[in-house]
Amino acid sequence: MGHPPLEFSDCYLDSPDFRERLKCYEQELERTNKFIKEVIKDGNALIAAIRGYSSAVQKFSQTLQSFQFDFIGDTLTDDEINIAESFKEFAELLQEVELERSMMVQNASDLLIKPLENFRKEQIGFTKERKKKFEKDGEKFYSMLDRHLHLSSKKKESQLQEADLQVDKERHNFFESSLEYVYQIQEVQESKKFSIVEPVLAFLHSLFTYNNLTVELTQDFLPYKQQLQLSLQNTRNHFSSTREELEDLKKRMKEAPLTCKLPGQPTIEGYLYTQEKWALGISWVKYYCQYEKEAKALRMTPMDQKPGAKQGTLDLTLKSCVRRKTDSIDKRFCFDIETNERSGTITLQALSEANRRLWMEAMDGKEPIYHSPITKQEEMELNEVGFKFVRKCINAVETKGITTEGIYRTVGSNIQVQKLLNAFFDPKCPGDVDLQSGDWDIKTITSSLKFYLRNLSEPVMTYKLHKELVLAAKSENLDYRLGAIHALVYKLPEKNREMLLLLIQHLVNICEHSRENLMSPSNMGVIFGPTLMRAQEDTVAAMMNIKFQNIVVEILIEHFGKEGHLNVSAFTDLLWPPRRHHRPPGASSQGGCPAAQTHHHFQTSSEGKTRLLRCFCGGKWSRPARPDPQRQRRRWRGGPQATAPQPPPRAPARGGRAGASPH
């Protein structure tokens, strides 16, 4: 299990649990920093010492194998699994290289050392600077808050107002510093997958190219290199898509920190001060409080316990909540509550007047509740006019722009998009727009279509099925993955399913011209994943699942049958990361099958590289067995089994996360 995402809403609350999770990220950042330093050190030793080259290679391979990626979320995509296992693959490769080498890699420093140093200095170093600012602003804010809360209410109103403004300013500064730090540390955690692996991959390629003794090794490494590059590019695309959504969420959080609540969270939570009476007087004790409105349950965790105190967390049931009059107590922002468990009233002090109103609103206090007006953009509906709009857009794109390079990726002018939408959805004459005319270019039409789909009151694939679709995309069982997605598509409401199939057929048509428009199913998945699917809640955890939304759409495109429905039988091939070893169709190995009883299925890339996807034996398809190490070593060094099998004349297409179509 990886690290849980750091929610931007936690930056405002600054709870102990948030600090603990943030500490885990900081430890992981330091671990990565140390790892990069070690890779740089070992890489320099490899370049500098030809005589000690063998030992340097072994040490370098051990360093790579010792590192394991941590990740955000509960599941990795196949591309991320491939990336996570890449260092292990690299280490295994290096261990097979002969001990003596006759050449030094000429440009290894530019390929390996500089990118890693830049990543460490620019990304990790920048993150550490953000941390210093976060800690400095936090210390400054809490120090000022403590002084502020001890101000007497009898002071002049102008002094109190000035103090309030100062606290609000520091709170805002601390909140912004916290947001920027959390955003940066998660960005480094995600981007290191390709930022660290890519330089190492480039270095290895250079190493094998410039070594005359490893020509065969270099040729055999190419299929894995190409698959890893594809995985890196796919992961980068998913990262870019997720990053845009996270930036949008961060901006919205700056405007309204408490609007994005996770399911299952308390109605309100934060720090409160409680008035406690002792034999020698009255003191105010700091608590972290969590209140659940439905159960009227209030949990109070003491934060400033004195040495020797045994007071633990208090679980109380609320009876009533009343605002405390200013002239009745020498503290500001106070309110009284009564609970079933304790006799008498408990006086609580909030952090500000606005904070007190929020607590009293949640607790149904007698303080009046004020709601600010919320302006909501008029939502678009999946109705007859919407279907007409989508069909007209599709017809226009397929008629005059299906071969346009980067179609749907390049965006049109916002002014033109709004103009087109306002004209088409005009209540007086809806749909009365000719998209075939020269008034509307392809970028405007495609951007308008995406805007319409993204602004539906509910996404095409519905909120109700969102979690099930994401879970299906996360499944490691590839047959189940397609079957589950196929079944869920037919659970959609009729008009949603009709719209989805209409769009997927269009995207299939687009991808059939990928040589001209450069838009593959994977590219279209990145664009239409967040367009056709979105979570009901705006959270970092939901944003991290965008890559699986992209995979769902990619699978739908890859397996859309000629009859206009999903081709379930097409999903029988299992996609495994390409192995660096090939076996002739007739060769046997541990767990293998005789050639006479075995059918092999191969996939050929655009560069002519071939890999064995599956074999049929005993009435079922299975993954080819991994060779034993001794046989593997012989094949690496050349021998009778080093010849790759010849591919069939036509190669099946790769399917989303899943694999190839059936032979």
Side-chain angles (χ1 to χ4, degrees), residues 271-499:
Y271 290 101
L272 293 173
Y273 288 79
T274 303
Q275 185 186 65
E276 305 220 349
K277 297 179 180 179
W278 305 91
L280 300 179
I282 295 174
S283 66
W284 291 85
V285 181
K286 186 178 181 181
Y287 285 82
Y288 189 80
C289 302
Q290 298 171 298
Y291 180 68
E292 179 56 52
K293 188 171 184 176
E294 290 186 6
K296 293 189 174 183
L298 176 64
R299 167 163 285 199
M300 302 176 63
T301 305
M303 303 305 300
D304 298 330
Q305 291 198 50
K306 296 180 179 179
K310 297 183 179 179
Q311 185 177 7
T313 300
L314 301 176
D315 289 307
L316 306 174
T317 305
L318 187 72
K319 288 170 61 178
S320 66
C321 172
V322 180
R323 179 182 65 84
R324 187 72 177 261
K325 291 184 179 180
T326 306
D327 56 4
S328 68
I329 191 170
D330 190 34
K331 295 284 184 181
R332 307 173 68 207
F333 320 134
C334 293
F335 59 99
D336 293 336
I337 63 169
E338 293 184 354
T339 65
N340 294 332
E341 291 76 11
R342 296 178 64 171
S343 59
T345 61
I346 302 173
T347 300
L348 302 174
Q349 183 185 26
L351 305 183
S352 65
E353 182 60 38
N355 186 238
R356 176 170 67 172
R357 283 201 299 269
L358 290 174
W359 279 99
M360 292 191 64
E361 180 179 349
M363 293 180 171
D364 295 325
K366 294 182 180 180
E367 181 76 6
I369 303 173
Y370 300 96
H371 288 295
S372 354
I374 300 176
T375 59
K376 187 175 183 182
Q377 181 182 353
E378 184 179 353
E379 294 172 333
M380 295 183 171
E381 299 295 336
L382 198 62
N383 52 24
E384 183 178 347
V385 179
F387 270 91
K388 185 177 181 180
F389 175 69
V390 172
R391 289 191 177 100
K392 278 198 169 188
C393 287
I394 290 174
N395 186 45
V397 170
E398 294 188 357
T399 301
K400 62 180 184 178
I402 198 167
T403 60
T404 303
E405 183 175 328
I407 188 169
Y408 283 108
R409 174 180 285 167
T410 54
V411 296
S413 164
N414 285 334
I415 297 175
Q416 289 298 313
V417 169
Q418 289 300 324
K419 183 179 178 182
L420 171 55
L421 291 169
N422 291 336
F424 199 99
F425 290 96
D426 186 352
K428 297 179 181 178
C429 49
D432 188 17
V433 177
D434 182 12
L435 297 184
Q436 299 287 352
S437 69
D439 297 336
W440 313 106
D441 60 24
I442 289 298
K443 291 189 292 185
T444 300
I445 296 172
T446 56
S447 296
S448 300
L449 176 58
K450 290 187 293 182
F451 183 92
Y452 165 74
L453 295 171
R454 280 206 173 201
N455 286 274
L456 289 170
S457 56
E458 184 175 31
V460 172
M461 301 186 78
T462 72
Y463 292 129
K464 182 179 180 181
L465 296 179
H466 180 84
K467 289 184 179 178
E468 293 180 68
L469 285 162
V470 170
L471 285 175
K474 290 180 177 181
S475 173
E476 294 182 1
N477 186 313
L478 306 181
D479 289 316
Y480 170 79
R481 192 183 300 163
L482 178 65
I485 290 174
H486 173 270
L488 290 169
V489 165
Y490 285 93
K491 282 187 177 181
L492 289 170
E494 185 176 351
K495 63 179 182 179
N496 293 67
R497 186 169 66 251
E498 181 183 351
M499 175 63 76

Side-chain angles (χ1 to χ4, degrees), residues 9-134:
S9 57
D10 290 340
C11 297
Y12 187 85
L13 298 172
D14 195 28
S15 66
D17 179 63
F18 166 72
R19 288 293 186 126
E20 189 63 31
R21 286 185 281 121
L22 185 58
K23 184 178 178 181
C24 294
Y25 275 72
E26 291 168 348
Q27 291 172 347
E28 171 59 20
L29 185 68
E30 188 58 33
R31 190 171 74 92
T32 303
N33 189 34
K34 290 180 180 179
F35 165 74
I36 293 175
K37 288 181 180 179
E38 192 167 354
V39 170
I40 292 173
K41 175 185 174 183
D42 295 337
N44 279 324
L46 185 60
I47 296 167
I50 294 179
R51 292 182 181 178
Y53 187 67
S54 176
S55 60
V57 169
Q58 293 300 321
K59 179 64 174 68
F60 187 67
S61 67
Q62 291 169 9
T63 301
L64 294 179
Q65 189 151 15
S66 66
F67 184 75
Q68 182 178 358
F69 279 106
D70 281 339
F71 55 91
I72 298 176
D74 56 1
T75 309
L76 292 176
T77 65
D78 287 345
D79 290 319
E80 289 173 329
I81 291 172
N82 200 10
I83 292 172
E85 293 177 350
S86 60
F87 284 153
K88 183 179 179 181
E89 293 284 342
F90 297 158
E92 291 176 359
L93 176 62
L94 288 172
Q95 289 166 6
E96 297 294 334
V97 176
E98 295 183 10
L99 297 179
E100 298 296 330
R101 289 290 180 262
S102 61
M103 286 183 62
M104 185 197 308
V105 179
Q106 299 297 325
N107 58 346
S109 179
D110 291 336
L111 292 174
L112 175 69
I113 305 302
K114 288 184 180 179
L116 291 179
E117 284 180 341
N118 290 340
F119 180 81
R120 189 172 67 85
K121 292 176 182 177
E122 297 173 5
Q123 296 298 321
I124 297 180
F126 181 67
T127 304
K128 289 184 177 180
E129 291 297 323
R130 288 285 189 191
K131 177 184 177 182
K132 290 179 182 178
K133 187 174 186 303
F134 164 74

Side-chain angles (χ1 to χ4, degrees), residues 173-220:
N173 289 340
F174 174 55
F175 175 55
E176 282 200 346
S177 297
S178 181
L179 270 178
E180 295 296 337
Y181 179 44
V182 167
Y183 174 79
Q184 179 65 25
I185 200 169
Q186 290 193 122
E187 178 175 302
V188 172
Q189 180 78 350
E190 282 290 283
S191 65
K192 71 180 182 182
K193 296 174 186 174
F194 48 82
S195 296
I196 301 176
V197 175
E198 280 182 332
V200 177
L201 178 62
F203 169 74
L204 290 181
H205 178 67
S206 175
L207 176 67
F208 299 143
T209 302
Y210 286 96
N211 274 279
N212 293 330
L213 300 179
T214 56
V215 174
E216 293 182 4
L217 178 63
T218 303
Q219 294 301 319
D220 209 12

